[in-house]
Amino acid sequence: MTGTSTDRSGTIALVPPRYGPEVVGGAEAVISETAHMLAARGWEVEILTTCARDHFTWANEYPAGTSRDGDVTVRRFETQTDTPGVHRKVLGDRLLSGVRLSLAEQQLWMNDSLRVSGLWHHVLDHGASYRAIVLAPYMFWTTFAVGQIRPERTILMPCLHDEPAAYLDIYQPLFSGARGIFFLSDPEAELAERLFRLPARTEVVGSAITLPESYDPDGFRARHGIDGPFVYYAGRREWAKGWTELLDAFRRVHRSAGLRLVTSGVGEVELPAGLPADRVLDLGFVSDDERNDAMAAAAAYVQPSALESFSRTVLEAWGAGTPVIANDASEVVRWHVQRSGAGVTYRSEQELMEALTLVGADPDAFGAMAAPGRDYVVEHYDPTRIGDRFDQLLLEWTSPLSGTGSPPVADRAAR
Amino acid sequence: MTELMVTPYAPYRDGIANYAVQEVAAARAAGRDMEVLSPLPSAAQHHLRLGSALGMGRLIRAARRYDRVVLQLYPELLFGACRGRRERLAVWGLLRVLCSVTKVELRIHEIEYDEPAADPQARRLGHAALSAAAAVTVHTAPEQQRLTEAFDLVTGAVSLVDHGVNFARRTETTREDARESLGVPGDAFVFLSIGFVQRHKGFDRGVRALDRLDDPDGRVRIYVVGDIRIDHPDLLDYREELESLCRHVDGAEFRPGYVSDEEFDRWLVAADCLVLPYREIWSSSVIERAGIYGVPVIATDVGGLAAQAPAGSRVVADDDALAEAMAEVAGLSLGAGSTRDVTEVPREQAAIQRLIRERADDGGRAPLEADRLHHTPRASTDSARPGVPQAKRLIARITAWQVEPVAGHLDEVIDRLRTDLRRLDERVEHLEHGERD
C-alpha cells in the first residue's frame, strides 16, 4: 500500500491465556499461527502467556520464565487460582440463565478464576516497550485485565461469539478502547458491531490454515484398526462445545447408520448409557499430522459447537476433502458452509441424526459434497496472504517506538 | 527495600484502585520493589479479606516481610466487615500494632469523622494508630486540618501528597476522534459529569443546572457517564432518578455502564468542561485527571476540591452559582424558564417537615412510577450477629439455582412493565400536547 512504512522495528507481544503444542483451542492456535507468520516477516515477536495447559484447572504445568519457540520468544507467568470459585460458579449460572449481573458482580465473576499478576505487572512495567500488544480471546482475564493497561497499543483479536458473557458491560471498553480489532470472519465482525461501539480501526483478517502436502488416511485406519465409515470430531470434549449433544444424537443412530465416532482432543469422553464403548474411539490428544490424517479418513467431520468464532477444524476438514456436518446455531460455521457449499448444517438433534444417517447410508455420495471445500480454504485462508495482511495492518496501525525501542527484558515480574 | 501497597487494585474499576495502579507503576518504573495486596482478588500479587480485626491480624503477619507498607486507607478497608464498636476499636488497636512492626504510611482517602467525635475511646485509639505511623498523608489542606483536629494529632503529623503526581495520560486520541468514538456531536458544547453514580456526587445538580440555561440552538449538552457500584436500593433509586431526569431535560444524556480508564480519559478529551457538583467529597481523582488534559472544571466548594481545582476552574457555592458558571462557560445566559425551586420555605420545624412529606408524596415531583419499579432484591447476607452472614451466604448459595431463575424472570417482567409504563407516559404526554395544540 502506498505510503505505508516498512519499518518493522519494535516488539509485538501476543497474549493468549495458554500457549504450547499440547494446548487445544482455536484462539490459541490462531495466536500461535500469527506469531510465527509475523516472525517470518521480520517482526520481533513475544508470546506473553501463562504456565497453564488446562483451561479448567489453570494449573501451572509449564515452567515460568523465558524460552524460544522457533523465532518467537515465549514468556510464561504463573497463574493464581487461589479463590474458591464460588462467585464464578454462582454468577456464571445466573449469567447463563439470562439474569443481568451488576457491575460489581461482573467484576467478581471475572476475578474469581485465574489471575496472572506476573503477566499483568510485566505489561504494566514494560508495556511502553511493545509496539503492539495483541490480545485473544476476549473473554479471559488475561485479555480483560491486560487490555486496560495500554489500550492505545492494544489490538484485540476477540474470537467473539454470541454467548451471554459477550453482553457483559465490563467488555465494552475493551472493545471500544482498543487501538484496533482483528476479526476472523464477517459474522464475528457483525456481531461485534451489534454489541459494542467499535474503534475506527477494524478489519476482518481471517486466520491462516496451513494444509499439509499430503494425507495418509489408509495409514490412519491401519494404525487404529478402523474399517468401515466413521465420523470425526476434534477439539474440546465439553458441554459448551456441543459434545454431549453429538453423543446423544450419535447414540440414537449409530446402529442404523453403521457408523463409528472417532474423536481427539481434550476433555473427558463420557459416553451416555446405551452407547457401546466400541462405537466411540477416543484418540486423546494427537499431533497435527495425525489429526489431518483422521480428517482425510473420515466420512464426515462433525462440528457440534454453537460457540465458534472461526472454526479452524471445519476448514481443516475441507482441506482434507471431507464434508462437514455443523451446528446451524453457529453463525460463522453456517457462513462458511453457505459460502463453500461443502457441508450441511443442522438445527435440531433430529436433523443431526438424519445427517449422520445419510453419511452411513452412502459415504461416497455424502463425501462428494466436499469437493469445493479445499478450494474455498485455499482461496480465503492461504497462510501467505493472511500473513501479509496481518503484517500490512500492523505496519499501518502501529508506529515504530521512539527512542531505543529495545525489547523488554526478563524481569522480576516472572518470579 | 521491599514495599507493599495495600489497596483495591485493577482490574477493578474504582477510584482508589486507579490511583494505586498509577503509584505502583511509577514506583516500579523507578526501580522500587513494590508488591500489592488487595482486599479482593485482582491483579495484585496477594489478596486478603480485610475490614475486620481478623483481617487486620492477617495483614500484620503479611506486613512483617516488607520494609515499608502503604495503606490506601478508606473506612471499608479497615471496618467493612466489623460487627460492632468493640471490633472497630480492636481494629484501631491492631492498626497501631501494624505501625509498630514495619514502617507504615497511611494514605488517607476518606475517614469517618463522626466516630472520633462521638467516641472518645475511638479517638484515643485512632490517635495512637495515626501517631505511630511513619507517615500520614492526605491530598488537600482542608483534609490535613480536619484530620489533625479530629484525632488530636500534633501539627505536622499529617502531610500533603500531590493527588495527581503519578497520573499519566491514558489516551492519545484527539477531541474529534474521541467525540466520534463516543457518539458525541462534534459541534456541541459538552459538559461532562463522570464517575460512579452516587447521590453525594450530585450529578443531578448539573443536569438541573443545564435545564436553566437559555440555549435556543440546543448546542449545549451534558453527559452523565458512569454507573452504580452495586445494586443497593438507594443507588438504584438514584440511578433511576438520574435516568428519568436526563430523559426530561433537553441536552442531557445519561450513559450508564462500565467505563475503563482509557474510556474515562477519552470522555475528558471529548468534553469542553467537567462539572463536579458534589454534595460531599474529600478529594477527587477526576479533577486531577481533568488537569492532565487541560479540561476546565466547575466544582462545588466541598472537601478539598477548591484546593485541588486547577487554575481557571470555577468553584461554586450552590446550585444558582453552578448554573451561572455553566452558562458563563458555555457563553449563554440563564433562561427565563428556569426550573429553580421557588417554594417558600416555612420557618417552623413542623411546617418544614410537613412540606417535605407533601413534596415527597407529590406525584408531580416524584419520579415516574415506572422508575419506582425495582429489580427483585436479593436477600441480604448482612448481619451483626456472629456467624449469621456466613450462614446466610451458604443458604443463598444452596438455593441460588432455584431462586435466581425465578427472580431473573421477575426482573424481566419488571423491565417490560417499566417499558410499557414509559410508553404509556409518552402517549399521555403526546395526547396532552395534542389537546393543547
Side-chain angles (χ1 to χ4, degrees), chain A residues 2-24:
Chain A
T2 313
T4 300
S5 163
T6 55
D7 182 353
R8 293 181 178 79
S9 62
T11 307
I12 306 293
L14 293 105
V15 189
R18 299 174 298 151
Y19 182 86
E22 303 91 348
V23 167
V24 177

Side-chain angles (χ1 to χ4, degrees), chain B residues 139-200:
Chain B
H139 293 308
T140 65
E143 297 167 66
Q144 186 182 31
Q145 187 182 346
R146 195 166 177 200
L147 187 67
T148 304
E149 289 168 3
F151 289 94
D152 303 324
L153 301 174
V154 297
T155 305
V158 182
S159 49
L160 289 177
V161 290
D162 184 348
H163 195 142
V165 68
N166 296 312
F167 284 15
R169 283 171 174 262
R170 292 190 187 274
T171 181
E172 298 301 328
T173 189
T174 62
R175 195 165 96 135
E176 290 67 33
D177 288 347
R179 287 191 171 198
E180 190 183 343
S181 71
L182 296 166
V184 173
D187 58 350
F189 187 93
V190 173
F191 287 110
L192 172 69
S193 290
I194 188 165
F196 279 110
V197 169
Q198 294 157 293
R199 188 173 293 278
H200 75 78

